[in-house]
Amino acid sequence: MAVHTLFPPSSLKSSFHQTRPPLSRPSPHRVTVIHCIHRPDSVHFVNGVGYTRADWQSSCAILASKVLSHQQPTDHTSGDVSSGTDHVASVNGHKTAIDLSLVPIKKEATESTNNGKLQKPLTITDLSPAPMHGSQLRVAYQGVPGAYSEAAAGKAYPNCEAIPCDQFEVAFQAVELWIADRAVLPVENSLGGSIHRNYDLLLRHRLHIVGEVQLPVHHCLLALPGVRKEYITRVISHPQALAQCELTLTKMGLQAAREAVDDTAGAAEYIAANNLRDTAAIASARAAELYGLQILADGIQDDSSNVTRFVMLAREPIIPRTDRPFKTSIVFAHDKGTSVLFKVLSAFAFRNISLTKIESRPHRNRPIRLVDDANVGTAKHFEYMFYVDFEASMAEVRAQNALAEVQEFTSFLRVLGSYPMDMTPWCPSRGD
Ligand SMILES: O=C(O)C(=O)Cc1ccccc1
């Protein structure tokens, strides 16, 4: 069932965004350039921070454009400081490296006061990229209004314009094509585990992780008004939501087939649009409200501590800092047998850097390696990409040293992002 072909009722409005049909995949425009570290030479640590010369030039351009503006936007949990309103010249989606000697010096910029107020000195945060349009940050998410990803977008960037996309791939492309400034992507859940497909997408695209948010997820069982549990023969939802509620659904005695669809709110919308009286959706209370469904059961996740972790993606990385807890996400591959993994992990252990996550995925380009052993014959080894999150900022020397060492052991290494950790105290709540 392709719920993603449906469009939400145009009359519905969300609190922090305007409801609009989800973006669908544009004409086949696949970005194939991956900003990655292929050993040994392409990583640049400029002043102890892992950026290329182009990144640094972009920062200089932004600095130039911001000299006359001292507005410092902030955002809630992400620490992503790039959500301001300043405009920077762009060519083909890249900020131009403006020749600083050509920047006109306005009179007030040279004076110590501006309208009687002391001018604030620029800080490192001013060097982060800014959106290219008006004041509202546009955040792409997969799903329709009422999806948890939309709530995550609102938590990460309050007052953002949330842009629904019918597929994750489209959310990535929306950012790459400058239709959106950020994408929000669920990567793991405390009950259902990793969302593997999204790890693969992180590798296939060249966006940078610029923040994370953790969202308590509170699932409801929704059906058309008047429908009773006994009539339900089918429950539809996002595969993660089905997995997170499996035990509860069984305990409820529902004799219903489970069917996976693209997103939770899309399931609710599908039932409403097709007047399905034998089908229930697992989705948020907000989805019930938006699509006119009743809540048959509230809080049906198998454990109340059900939290999903989302990452925010941008075209440019943020500049890592040391004044608050940071996390760094990397992906690597190796071609020298299993002991490499041990060596890589010890590079972090020796420096007291805690790992918060390790995930392996099949190596897409080289899933199998044949090993010839004279005694035993030919063996097939599976090859993996390893995703590791560790608790340190790339601005810290110990993290730079750990990565330099990791690079020694690996055939491929890419820093997906170094970003502030979501430190919001956790409380099980209605996460919708
Ligand atoms: O389908 C949604 O609403 C999503 O945003 C993905 C998802 C599904 C289940 C839990 C958290 C996120």
Side-chain angles (χ1 to χ4, degrees):
M1 176 175 34
V3 251
H4 58 255
T5 53
L6 298 169
F7 291 93
S10 56
S11 57
L12 304 171
K13 291 264 184 242
S14 99
S15 54
F16 60 86
H17 82 293
Q18 291 175 340
T19 302
R20 53 153 101 173
L23 283 181
S24 46
R25 190 194 287 261
S27 58
H29 176 111
R30 176 68 57 85
V31 177
T32 49
V33 187
I34 296 180
H35 177 71
C36 60
I37 303 171
H38 279 291
R39 68 182 300 231
D41 298 323
S42 61
V43 67
H44 300 276
F45 289 98
V46 179
N47 292 341
V49 179
Y51 286 107
T52 62
R53 176 183 288 271
D55 289 330
W56 190 247
Q57 281 175 337
S58 300
S59 301
C60 290
I62 292 151
L63 172 65
S65 77
K66 291 206 172 190
V67 164
L68 302 180
S69 159
H70 51 265
Q71 186 181 359
Q72 288 188 36
T74 53
D75 97 46
H76 173 52
T77 52
S78 66
D80 174 2
V81 288
S82 32
S83 47
T85 57
D86 298 335
H87 291 241
V88 178
S90 116
V91 175
N92 287 341
H94 293 280
K95 300 195 169 47
T96 51
I98 298 166
D99 180 351
L100 290 178
S101 62
L102 299 179
V103 176
I105 300 173
K106 283 215 180 136
K107 188 167 178 287
E108 64 270 30
T110 63
E111 291 171 351
S112 60
T113 62
N114 188 0
N115 295 332
K117 281 192 200 145
L118 278 178
Q119 272 199 316
K120 273 176 129 187
L122 286 174
T123 67
I124 194 80
T125 62
D126 293 308
L127 303 180
S128 292
M132 301 296 301
H133 56 95
S135 59
Q136 225 182 348
L137 200 77
R138 297 163 305 179
V139 183
Y141 68 94
Q142 193 265 331
V144 296
Y148 296 104
S149 297
E150 184 204 37
K155 182 178 178 191
Y157 303 107
N159 306 316
C160 70
E161 181 194 356
I163 303 177
C165 301
D166 71 349
Q167 296 171 49
F168 286 119
E169 179 83 37
V170 175
F172 275 78
Q173 291 187 0
V175 179
E176 285 164 345
L177 300 172
W178 293 75
I179 294 161
D181 304 299
R182 302 283 183 277
V184 166
L185 187 73
V187 284
E188 57 180 322
N189 174 270
S190 54
L191 291 175
S194 291
I195 303 177
H196 293 129
R197 189 175 140 59
N198 289 351
Y199 277 91
D200 297 341
L201 282 172
L202 283 173
L203 194 60
R204 264 198 279 142
H205 291 263
R206 49 163 301 191
L207 298 181
H208 305 265
I209 303 178
V210 294
E212 65 168 8
V213 280
Q214 294 181 351
L215 191 79
V217 171
H218 185 97
H219 291 303
C220 303
L221 189 68
L222 313 179
L224 284 170
V227 167
R228 301 210 333 237
K229 268 183 226 159
E230 302 78 69
Y231 306 159
I232 302 297
T233 59
R234 183 166 70 145
V235 177
I236 61 175
S237 197
H238 186 282
Q240 276 280 331
L242 289 169
Q244 291 160 26
C245 304
E246 183 49 41
L247 290 177
T248 315
L249 288 181
T250 306
K251 273 194 218 144
M252 282 170 69
L254 278 185
Q255 300 292 316
R258 323 299 195 232
E259 246 177 62
V261 296
D262 283 347
D263 73 286
T264 57
E269 185 200 39
Y270 183 76
I271 289 172
N274 294 283
N275 199 28
L276 301 175
R277 303 193 68 78
D278 61 349
T279 307
I282 300 174
S284 63
R286 188 175 130 71
E289 200 183 308
L290 283 174
Y291 303 109
L293 300 186
Q294 61 161 335
I295 298 178
L296 283 179
D298 198 341
I300 57 164
Q301 61 278 1
D302 292 342
D303 191 298
S304 61
S305 49
N306 183 26
V307 179
T308 297
R309 177 172 166 252
F310 295 78
V311 291
M312 287 89 84
L313 306 169
R315 288 177 294 274
E316 306 284 347
I318 57 164
I319 294 179
R321 294 166 25 189
T322 52
D323 57 351
R324 57 181 291 186
F326 260 61
K327 206 183 251 184
T328 301
S329 299
I330 60 168
V331 52
F332 62 85
H334 61 77
D335 49 15
K336 291 199 199 80
T338 43
S339 66
V340 167
L341 187 57
F342 174 78
K343 289 179 189 159
V344 165
L345 299 186
S346 15
F348 295 104
F350 284 139
R351 293 172 178 90
N352 274 328
I353 299 177
S354 308
L355 304 189
T356 55
K357 164 109 189 148
I358 175 159
E359 181 73 45
S360 62
R361 297 286 302 141
H363 194 310
R364 285 255 167 173
N365 300 338
R366 189 166 37 94
I368 296 221
R369 178 167 46 105
L370 293 178
V371 180
D372 279 325
D373 185 319
N375 299 326
V376 209
T378 304
K380 290 182 198 68
H381 285 229
F382 283 27
E383 292 285 351
Y384 300 99
M385 286 281 180
F386 293 95
Y387 292 80
V388 167
D389 291 348
F390 59 87
E391 277 181 356
S393 162
M394 279 311 293
E396 291 176 60
V397 172
R398 62 183 184 136
Q400 294 162 16
N401 289 343
L403 277 204
E405 200 172 311
V406 168
Q407 212 182 348
E408 296 289 314
F409 307 130
T410 52
S411 52
F412 168 84
L413 171 64
R414 177 175 158 200
V415 177
L416 294 168
S418 193
Y419 49 90
M421 287 170 66
D422 182 356
M423 304 297 285
T424 2
W426 185 80
C427 55
S429 70
R430 300 184 58 87
D432 44 15

